[in-house]
Amino acid sequence: MFEPYKLPENPPALDQHIAVSQQDAGKIYKVITKLSQEIELLPVVLSQEGEVIAFAELPNATSAEHIAKLIGRIWHEGAHRQARELIRFEEETIDEADDRTNVMLYSTHITGAITLTIGWHVSISLTQIRAEVNDVKIELLRILGAEEG
């Protein structure tokens, strides 16, 4: 049977910088591109402290950087919380057209200061997003040589 889920006792280590090699970045890019394909080509950004590590299905690096900075700020503001994932509904300017758009962001803590964020559309259930991200999180932890914590 299933074991009861144990809530974390401490906030995630969002101040712990994780070194990511070029070789790991290449592997990570493949993992998040596959994730994006599995969830109807939604945009995916892996970031650390507001800086992009890799992204998929965004029009350009500027859009990825904007999402990374936004999500970095959100995680930083909640650094004392024990949460390991968040959903945020924002009105933001994402691309260079200066058009404001409503954005739903699902973000989960991977390890250290690394987070994975998906630009989420309601056409896909949160249950599917969470299941796909959980599989990717395990693979990212393996690439980064980190223990799940």
Side-chain angles (χ1 to χ4, degrees):
M1 274 272 168
F2 295 105
E3 293 184 30
Y5 182 76
K6 184 179 176 192
L7 293 174
E9 296 179 12
N10 299 309
L14 295 172
D15 58 347
Q16 179 188 6
H17 185 84
I18 305 294
V20 179
S21 70
Q22 288 294 334
Q23 182 179 5
D24 287 346
K27 292 176 187 175
I28 288 167
Y29 173 75
K30 290 177 184 175
V31 170
I32 66 167
T33 299
K34 183 179 177 197
L35 170 63
S36 179
Q37 292 168 348
E38 290 174 358
I39 56 174
E40 300 181 17
L41 300 176
L42 291 179
V44 178
V45 178
L46 187 73
S47 59
Q48 179 167 214
E49 300 168 332
E51 300 294 325
V52 175
I53 295 172
F55 69 93
E57 288 308 315
L58 283 161
N60 53 48
T62 303
S63 298
E65 290 167 3
H66 184 84
I67 290 172
K69 287 184 187 332
L70 172 64
I71 211 69
R73 185 180 74 236
I74 293 168
W75 276 103
H76 180 73
E77 290 168 357
H80 63 284
R81 297 186 185 124
Q82 295 176 347
R84 295 299 195 268
E85 62 183 349
L86 64 87
I87 298 174
R88 187 74 172 235
F89 299 87
E90 294 283 332
E91 183 178 71
E92 290 288 333
T93 304
I94 296 298
D95 58 28
E96 297 171 357
D98 265 346
D99 294 329
R100 294 190 71 77
T101 185
N102 290 319
V103 178
M104 293 177 281
L105 298 172
Y106 169 79
S107 186
T108 189
H109 176 254
I110 301 298
T111 187
I114 297 177
T115 58
L116 179 71
T117 304
I118 295 172
W120 173 37
H121 300 288
V122 292
S123 63
I124 297 179
S125 73
L126 177 59
T127 302
Q128 181 182 353
I129 296 282
R130 292 178 81 196
E132 298 288 351
V133 165
N134 190 54
D135 291 344
V136 166
K137 178 178 179 177
I138 292 166
E139 194 166 349
L140 290 171
L141 286 168
R142 184 185 54 74
I143 291 170
L144 296 167
E147 297 289 323
E148 184 168 358

